Amino acid sequence: MTAVPPPDATRARRRRSGRQVRRARRVAAPLTVVSALVATAALAGCGQQRDPDVYTVLNSSTDDSYHSWDAATLKRCSAKLGITIEQQSVPAPQVMTKSLRMASSKSLPDVIQFDASEMPTFAEAGGLIDLRTLGLSTQDIPKGIVDFGSYEGTYYGAARTVNTLALFYNKDILDKAGLEVPTTWDEMRDTAKKLTQGKQYGIALSAGGAEDGVFQFTPFMWSNGGDERELDSKNVAEALDYWKGLIKDGSLSKSTVNWTQADVNDQFMAGNAAMMINGPWQVETLNTKKDLDWGIAQIPVPKTGDDSVGPLGGAILTVPNTGDTAREKTAAKIVGCMSSEQEQITYARNSWMVPANAKAAAIWRKEVPELDALADQVATARSRTTQVGAGWASVSLALQSAFQSALTGQDSAAALKKAQARAASGN
């Protein structure tokens, strides 16, 4: 295991907790506006004279740790490609708006690192180049991760690493109670109920009114056969009712409707929850508490034999359509270098995420066997935008509203019926 970062880096990581999964709801610009801006940029070509040997990568690596990791990557790629690659970092909510402003002024960067849930909006407007046409291969990349970086079958985004959710558990608490790690919904509800005592809840998860909560709901919805295109289906209602059952048992705090994934991790580390649903971005923080003996497993499924289908999270590297074909080809080489097998392994070692390349992931598994279950979870995970593309933002907002209603008393089916109507309207 890599060394635990200093406290300032750890605090930064916790602020970023779930950073890659909260961006979908931040795309505020209407598609017509996006289309107009990116089309203008592509048709007019580059509006500024640029140094032919200096290239720019726009990302959201504003935290010191992530910024330094990316700086090191770009330094290596600069040397390899014989060019200078500069990093421009803005807060995650500003990546899309910054990209739109740059498109308007015909000064788009050479590479944009989008959250995968945001990419379809830019791609649908014609703002991105098919990476395959630029010579980038998807060999050794699992189909689910290729789909993660694709829109309507076109491969626009290369992932370096991906993340998903898993079940974290306190080994000491389970061992003391003589309980096994649950694998099905019934087992998890029973185990959580038995582990709930005093100030300790059996399980913690995020059901807050933000993308965190939606991200955490998808494994329950998808593993039960639910679909974001039919939020009012029986399968989705059963998944939401399962969450309500945990609250009814007293195994899940009613405060779950206000918790982010960082809050969930705080509860787990404080001993206020025996199990939690969370992601690998919490690992470094968990490791700062030396007396916390934690384990990780796949998220329990409705019944034995079902696949545990979680959400893929993370960022993808894209080449915007600037109209300058020569620069676009070099930009693709930058993406290829940043997403190469060795760079993926290096980035994964730092971030605790799972390499996108299958060969790189196999090496990573051997280095961090304690996270092997996470790699298994990634193998069955899928993108939130696979079914609805740029419509995911509307789906997410609709589900967020449904959680707040259903988990505070409203009938799940009624709340989801409203959610489906809202999602269908695009509001």
Side-chain angles (χ1 to χ4, degrees):
M1 298 175 68
T2 58
V4 174
D8 58 336
T10 299
R11 286 194 293 270
R13 176 66 53 76
R14 292 180 69 180
R15 288 195 299 271
R16 286 175 70 100
S17 157
R19 62 180 292 278
Q20 304 286 14
V21 304
R22 290 200 291 267
R23 302 180 193 168
R25 67 196 298 262
R26 297 166 174 165
V27 182
L31 182 59
T32 52
V33 175
V34 178
S35 299
L37 290 173
V38 299
T40 299
L43 292 173
C46 296
Q48 298 179 347
Q49 288 295 111
R50 308 190 196 189
D51 187 325
D53 294 321
V54 178
Y55 291 78
T56 304
V57 174
L58 175 65
N59 61 28
S60 61
S61 301
T62 53
D63 290 349
D64 290 342
S65 54
Y66 280 81
H67 197 79
S68 63
W69 298 337
D70 280 334
T73 296
L74 296 181
K75 183 177 181 179
R76 289 189 292 270
C77 289
S78 292
K80 180 179 179 180
L81 299 175
I83 57 177
T84 298
I85 310 171
E86 297 179 346
Q87 177 180 200
Q88 184 175 6
S89 302
V90 298
Q94 297 178 21
V95 173
M96 177 62 79
T97 53
K98 176 74 172 179
S99 298
L100 293 176
R101 286 197 300 271
M102 296 178 82
S104 178
S105 62
K106 307 179 188 63
S107 58
L108 280 165
D110 299 287
V111 175
I112 303 176
Q113 179 176 288
F114 280 118
D115 181 89
S117 63
E118 286 185 335
M119 177 273 290
T121 299
F122 217 77
E124 188 172 6
L128 300 175
I129 303 294
D130 181 348
L131 296 183
R132 288 192 178 101
T133 67
L134 294 174
L136 291 180
S137 171
T138 55
Q139 185 177 356
D140 298 323
I141 303 176
K143 183 180 183 301
I145 298 179
V146 173
D147 291 343
F148 180 65
S150 300
Y151 174 66
E152 293 188 343
T154 302
Y155 183 58
Y156 291 112
R160 288 185 285 175
T161 58
V162 292
N163 61 65
T164 190
L165 296 167
L167 178 71
F168 289 74
Y169 57 93
N170 187 310
K171 291 182 179 179
D172 292 334
I173 293 177
L174 264 70
D175 288 346
K176 185 177 180 180
L179 297 172
E180 298 292 327
V181 179
T183 61
T184 66
W185 282 8
D186 285 345
E187 290 177 1
M188 186 165 78
R189 185 169 181 177
D190 183 60
T191 300
K193 195 170 184 178
K194 290 177 178 176
L195 294 175
T196 299
Q197 49 187 314
K199 294 182 179 181
Q200 176 184 290
Y201 288 94
I203 191 165
L205 55 82
S206 169
E211 185 70 10
D212 275 18
V214 179
F215 197 68
Q216 295 225 332
F217 182 64
T218 54
F220 296 88
M221 175 173 70
W222 291 339
S223 298
N224 197 46
D227 191 311
E228 53 270 37
R229 293 169 297 183
E230 296 182 64
L231 298 180
D232 54 353
S233 72
K234 177 184 177 182
N235 304 73
V236 180
E238 287 175 348
L240 188 50
D241 280 338
Y242 182 74
W243 274 14
K244 292 181 70 171
L246 293 172
I247 293 177
K248 183 179 179 180
D249 292 344
S251 304
L252 174 63
S253 172
K254 292 180 180 179
S255 297
T256 187
V257 295
N258 299 314
W259 284 347
T260 65
Q261 293 178 118
D263 296 328
V264 170
N265 196 55
D266 288 341
Q267 295 297 319
F268 184 73
M269 290 186 68
N272 296 331
M275 301 181 290
M276 72 169 176
I277 304 296
N278 227 315
W281 49 85
Q282 308 291 8
V283 170
E284 282 186 304
T285 306
L286 290 171
N287 285 342
T288 62
K289 189 168 184 178
K290 301 301 182 182
D291 61 346
L292 178 61
D293 189 10
W294 56 271
I296 189 171
Q298 287 188 275
I299 296 174
V301 293
K303 61 181 183 300
T304 303
D306 290 341
D307 287 331
S308 184
V309 185
L312 278 174
I316 51 175
L317 299 167
T318 69
V319 176
N321 183 1
T322 63
D324 187 332
T325 56
R327 288 190 73 95
E328 289 166 0
K329 289 178 180 178
T330 302
K333 293 179 180 179
I334 295 172
V335 171
C337 179
M338 293 180 70
S339 60
S340 65
E341 184 177 326
Q342 185 54 56
E343 289 297 339
Q344 285 191 22
I345 293 171
T346 300
Y347 195 76
R349 285 171 179 156
N350 287 328
S351 65
W352 298 94
M353 306 300 175
V354 182
N357 180 287
K359 291 181 178 178
I363 295 172
W364 178 85
R365 277 179 184 254
K366 293 178 181 178
E367 292 188 1
V368 283
E370 67 273 27
L371 296 183
D372 199 54
L374 185 69
D376 290 335
Q377 189 82 58
V378 162
T380 57
R382 70 175 180 85
S383 169
R384 288 160 285 166
T385 60
T386 297
Q387 303 288 4
V388 295
W392 174 259
S394 295
V395 170
S396 177
L397 290 171
L399 277 174
Q400 291 167 31
S401 179
F403 295 159
Q404 298 296 299
S405 298
L407 297 180
T408 55
Q410 188 177 356
D411 177 71
S412 294
L416 289 167
K417 185 176 181 180
K418 292 181 180 177
Q420 176 60 28
R422 180 176 181 179
S425 71
N427 296 322

